[in-house]
Each structure stands twice: as C-alpha cells, then as structure tokens.
C-alpha cells in the first residue's frame, strides 16, 4: 500500500489490475452478509470487469434460519411465563404462519435484546419468568453466548435457557460445493468468522474441490485486493486458501474462543433455509448443560407448517438467483413490507440490493 497516496488511488490501481488480469470468466461468492452490504454500498459489483461475477451466499444468520426453527421459537414465545429474548432482526422474519412481531402484538412474551448478556440480566431480574435466548449467528457470535451460559451456570440461574440456532460456515460451504446446481469458482471468505476459525478449516476448499478461498476484510479496498488474489490464483491454476485480512486473522484463528465454544456446544446436522439439512452445521448444548437448553426444558412438538408466499430466498442464498431476479423484488417485497428474510435482515442480500439500488453485474470502469 506504501507507494499509493491513499486508499482511493490504491483501489484504482487494483481495479486496473483486475481489468488487465481477469482473462477468464470467474464466479466468486461472498459468503458473509457484511461483505454483501459492503459491496452494495460501495457499488463495487458494477465497477468490476464483466468477467468477474459476484454472487451472494448464505452469510446472513437471520436469513438462513429455517421455517421450522422459527415456528418452534414462535411456539415457545406463546408458552405461559416464557419471554423469548431475541435480536431485532429476527422479529419480522416470517415463519410458516406468523412472525415473532405478530406474536408480540398478540401478547406473546417477546423482547428485543442487543446481546446474550442482556437476556441474562433479564432472567436474573425476573425470577418468576423463563427467559429463553434465541441464539442465531455463526462462529463469531457463539463465544458471547458461551460466556453468558457460563455465567448462568456459575450463578445457578435456572430461569435462563438458550435456543441454539447457531450455524457453522465450513460445512455449508462444503454443501454448496457438493450441489451440482451451484457453480462457484472461488469464495470471498467471511473475515469475522475467520478471526475465530483461522484459515485451516477451509483448506478442504482448495485441496478437495480445487477452488480458491480468500479471507477478506470489509472495506472496498480489501475486497478488491482479495479479488486480485483470486484472479491470480485462477490464472496460475493454483487454488489456495489465502488471508488478505492479515490485520485481524491468523492461520490458527483464536484457539481460546474455539475451546470455549467446544466446552459448551457440539456440532449436529441442522436445516438451512433453502439449502436443507447440512451435516455438522449446527450447534447444540452438550448433554451436561441440558438444563440450560430450551429444547430440552420445554420439549414442545410443533407441527410442520406450509410456507406462505413464493419467496426465492432459497435460490438467493445458494447464489442461483440474484435478488432482483426474484419476481417479487421491489414490488410485493420491500424492506417496509418484506416477504422473505433476505429482505428483512440488515445483512440480507435482497435488503442490501434494494437499499443500494443494485441491478446488474459487471460494467465499465
Ligand atoms: S425479494 Fe423478497 S421474496 Fe424475493 S427472494 Fe428476496 S426476500 Fe424473498
């Protein structure tokens, strides 16, 4: 970066290099919702050479939550004395027949919190209530939930439980690579998740599937630099897992955070919206902490519902469709009146495309 006066000048250089060096059509998936937003906000997609196609992936934790899991959360919120504590983005996500917001307006116990610790405080201040923390998120957010659990266990707080809908990123990337419908040449890997995981758990992408993988930061200049790394791997036929986001990510990630996750959680197969069941891609509480597991405390059986509407979120999350290729985009489905979770969440692809007016892929410099 030293020879360049500023990021703008460096970005221009990177873009020029991309135009010079991207001589094969290449499809790269940004796995993380924060990258999708950064790309949309900076208008990067439209500045890139036609040969580079960026597609969004299953990187928004709210969007990938399956209908059946939402239905379960809604059923829990309807239980007497239960308060379901959740992040604001989850409120308007439609389940098969309702949403948490609709349930709240009908009197169900739903409360917006900003962290698992807020839910813990809510439980300790309201011993007559059962506070369930609805835990969504990828590897990045799990350590904070583990910290809250540890505190609840140490304090013997028995009215605090966790509904773990956490998802793990490497298994879903493998599921996408195994899907014959999905065509991906390279991944722009989530920087935040990789601060925990490092680069090691992604080696299979290059070694077994021969695809490139670059772990990237969240500024436009980071993404451009990552794309140039991908293009160079591609030209040299040298698929590898590389770290562009060196200021935050080490090859071995954060072993302390990972050990903390493993202390409380164990991987299980779970369903992803639009993708289906993915082996080892979810986390549940270990047997010894069953008392703090909402699914074991309140063993409810919820009948499977039928999805409403014809939302294309599943195809968007797999990169098979761009948001504006959904017939409802911007018409029946807008951030004010969302039909699917990809338009609800601030990190959802549809919301990002809508907010920043993205309509096409590729363009002139
Ligand atoms: S535009 Fe709306 S209905 Fe279409 S895929 Fe996106 S969220 Fe679903």
């Amino acid at each position: 970066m030293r020879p360049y006066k500023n990021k703008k000048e460096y970005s221009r250089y990177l873009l020029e290099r991309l135009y010079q060096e991207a001589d094969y059509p290449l499809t790269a998936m940004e796995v993380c919702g924060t990258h999708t937003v950064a790309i949309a906000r900076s208008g990067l997609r439209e500045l890139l050479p036609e040969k580079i196609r960026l597609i969004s992936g299953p990187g928004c934790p709210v969007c990938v939550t399956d209908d059946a899991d939402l239905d379960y959360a809604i059923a829990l919120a309807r239980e007497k004395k239960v308060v379901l504590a959740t992040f604001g983005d989850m409120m308007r996500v439609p389940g098969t027949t309702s949403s948490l917001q609709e349930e709240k307006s009908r009197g169900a116990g739903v409360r917006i919190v900003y962290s698992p610790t807020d839910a813990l405080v809510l439980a300790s201040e309201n011993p007559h209530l059962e506070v369930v923390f609805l835990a969504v998120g990828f590897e990045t957010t799990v350590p904070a939930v583990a910290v809250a659990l540890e505190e609840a266990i140490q304090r013997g707080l028995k009215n605090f439980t966790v509904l773990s809908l956490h998802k793990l990123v490497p298994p879903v990337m493998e599921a996408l690579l195994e899907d014959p419908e999905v065509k991906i040449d390279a991944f722009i890997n989530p920087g935040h998740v990789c601060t925990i995981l490092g680069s090691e758990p992604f080696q299979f992408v290059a070694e077994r599937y021969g695809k490139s993988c670059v772990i990237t930061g969240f500024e436009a200049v980071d993404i451009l630099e990552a794309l140039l790394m991908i293009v160079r791997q591609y030209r040299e036929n040298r698929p590898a897992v590389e770290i562009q986001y060196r200021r935050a990510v080490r090859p071995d990630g954060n072993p302390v955070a990972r050990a903390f996750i493993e202390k409380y959680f164990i991987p299980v197969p779970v369903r992803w919206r639009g993708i289906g069941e993915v082996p080892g891609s979810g986390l549940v509480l270990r047997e010894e902490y069953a008392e703090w597991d909402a699914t074991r405390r309140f063993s409810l059986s919820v009948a499977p519902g039928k999805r409403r509407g014809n939302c294309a979120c599943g195809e968007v999350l797999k990169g098979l469709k761009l948001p504006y290729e959904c017939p409802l985009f911007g018409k029946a489905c807008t951030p004010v009146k969302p039909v699917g979770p990809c338009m609800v969440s601030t990190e959802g692809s549809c919301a990002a495309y809508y907010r920043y007016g993205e309509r096409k892929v590729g363009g002139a410099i």
Side-chain angles (χ1 to χ4, degrees), residues 310-314 316 323 326-330 333-334 338-344 350:
N310 53 347
C311 165
C313 276
V316 170
C326 169
L328 307 186
F329 180 85
C333 183
T334 64
V339 175
C342 296
M343 192 61 96
V344 175
C350 298

Side-chain angles (χ1 to χ4, degrees), residues 209-227:
Y209 295 94
K211 310 287 183 187
S212 303
C213 213
V214 175
I215 297 166
T216 317
F218 297 92
E219 294 184 40
V221 68
D222 291 325
I223 297 166
L224 282 170
E225 199 172 79
L227 285 171

Side-chain angles (χ1 to χ4, degrees), residues 105-154:
S105 67
R106 290 185 198 121
V110 182
R111 186 79 71 89
I112 294 176
V113 291
Y114 298 97
S115 72
T117 308
D118 288 350
L120 194 79
V121 170
L122 189 65
S124 79
E125 288 175 353
N126 297 278
H128 58 293
L129 294 175
E130 290 283 349
V131 175
V132 179
F133 178 63
L134 173 56
V136 294
F138 300 113
E139 288 88 340
T140 335
T141 53
V142 192
V145 180
V147 167
L149 264 170
E150 182 150 285
E151 195 178 334
I153 292 163
Q154 280 173 357

Side-chain angles (χ1 to χ4, degrees), residues 262-282:
E262 279 163 32
K263 180 176 173 190
Y264 290 101
F265 294 95
I266 188 162
V268 288
V270 290
R271 288 189 64 79
W272 294 58
R273 183 185 291 265
I275 296 173
E277 184 169 293
V278 179
S281 68

